[in-house]
Amino acid sequence: SFNILLDTISRFVRETLIPRETEVTDTDEIPADIVAQMRTMGLFGLTIPEEYGGLGFTTEEEVLASMALCYASPVFRSRIGTNTGIGAQGIVIDGTPEQKKQWLQPLLDGEIRSCFSMTEPEVSGADPTGLRTRAVREGDEYVINGHKWFISGARGAGFALLVARTEEDPEIPQAANSCFIVDLPSEGWNVVRDVQTMSGSHNHCEILIEDLRVPNANMLGGPGQGHLLGQYRLGPARLAHCMRWIGQAE
């Protein structure tokens, strides 16, 4: 049951993570043996449905697990969050059978991480209807150019979900953008720097996208569905963030 899993997570935090917090004080990477324990416990699949090999937590269960995990350094939870968050959920919700087969298992195994690339420095990050990054179709590919900002977990990610404008005259502004799975590293996806925040550098990157070519088959969902995909996941993600900091405060 969920309560048994939550007790297991809490014991893991007390007995393993808290005593080793000093090992991740100045880094966003965590030791390999801890990654292996997380994999054994199924923590990389908290929100991925059981039919794909995950634990299938509900939103309520996910946020409670986030709070428990963040009694220790949030660096540990962040390593899990990039696997159970929008990267995995976007593919679960809108992915084709081929996309699910290619990307979900490596996420579940903790072999790779993902990132979500939407926010841009030139426009409001809270209003994605104004995004300027553009994807233009050329035969069997889309060619993408643009500028992204505060892309959490970008350095070291195995793939990105990249939101870009594809529709020139949509019926509503929210239908202008589409989402693409970008295999990383890829030519044309350039990590400029880790943008510093008040707490230092934590892999929130500036990305310059120059003639990045992505196969048509890597579009996630249909044309103009990128805004909806973000809404599906960013709401629950905000709840998880709140619970992370409640865990830290406690």
Side-chain angles (χ1 to χ4, degrees), residues 54-77:
L55 294 178
F57 278 13
T58 65
T59 297
E60 180 181 3
E61 291 168 344
E62 178 195 0
V63 297
L64 290 174
S66 292
M67 184 171 68
L69 283 162
C70 282
Y71 272 68
S73 168
V75 171
F76 295 116
R77 168 59 178 76

Side-chain angles (χ1 to χ4, degrees), residues 38-101:
M38 289 177 169
R39 180 184 302 115
T40 299
M41 294 171 64
L43 297 184
F44 292 114
L46 292 182
T47 62
I48 298 176
E50 293 180 15
E51 64 184 287
Y52 301 116
L55 294 178
F57 278 13
T58 65
T59 297
E60 180 181 3
E61 291 168 344
E62 178 195 0
V63 297
L64 290 174
S66 292
M67 184 171 68
L69 283 162
C70 282
Y71 272 68
S73 168
V75 171
F76 295 116
R77 168 59 178 76
S78 294
R79 179 62 178 84
I80 294 168
T82 54
N83 291 62
T84 64
I86 195 166
Q89 287 299 293
I91 293 174
V92 167
I93 294 167
D94 282 329
T96 64
E98 292 76 15
Q99 289 169 347
K100 291 174 181 177
K101 182 178 180 181

Side-chain angles (χ1 to χ4, degrees), residues 58-163:
T58 65
T59 297
E60 180 181 3
E61 291 168 344
E62 178 195 0
V63 297
L64 290 174
S66 292
M67 184 171 68
L69 283 162
C70 282
Y71 272 68
S73 168
V75 171
F76 295 116
R77 168 59 178 76
S78 294
R79 179 62 178 84
I80 294 168
T82 54
N83 291 62
T84 64
I86 195 166
Q89 287 299 293
I91 293 174
V92 167
I93 294 167
D94 282 329
T96 64
E98 292 76 15
Q99 289 169 347
K100 291 174 181 177
K101 182 178 180 181
Q102 181 174 357
W103 298 111
L104 285 183
Q105 194 61 52
L107 286 173
L108 280 164
D109 292 339
E111 293 177 356
I112 62 171
R113 297 182 287 104
S114 65
C115 65
F116 183 60
S117 181
M118 180 178 72
T119 304
E120 299 180 4
E122 292 85 7
V123 295
S124 171
D127 182 9
T129 60
L131 295 183
R132 298 180 184 178
T133 297
R134 290 184 177 271
V136 178
R137 186 162 180 173
E138 291 187 3
D140 293 332
E141 297 178 314
Y142 277 87
V143 180
I144 306 175
N145 286 277
H147 191 194
K148 297 295 183 178
W149 182 253
F150 283 126
I151 306 308
S152 299
R155 197 183 300 276
F159 71 89
L161 297 189
L162 171 61
V163 181

Side-chain angles (χ1 to χ4, degrees), residues 5 10 20 28 34 42 76 95 100 105 108 112 114 183 218 222:
L5 285 170
S10 296
R20 299 183 65 179
D28 286 326
I34 291 181
F76 295 116
K100 291 174 181 177
Q105 194 61 52
L108 280 164
I112 62 171
S114 65
D183 193 8
N218 281 32

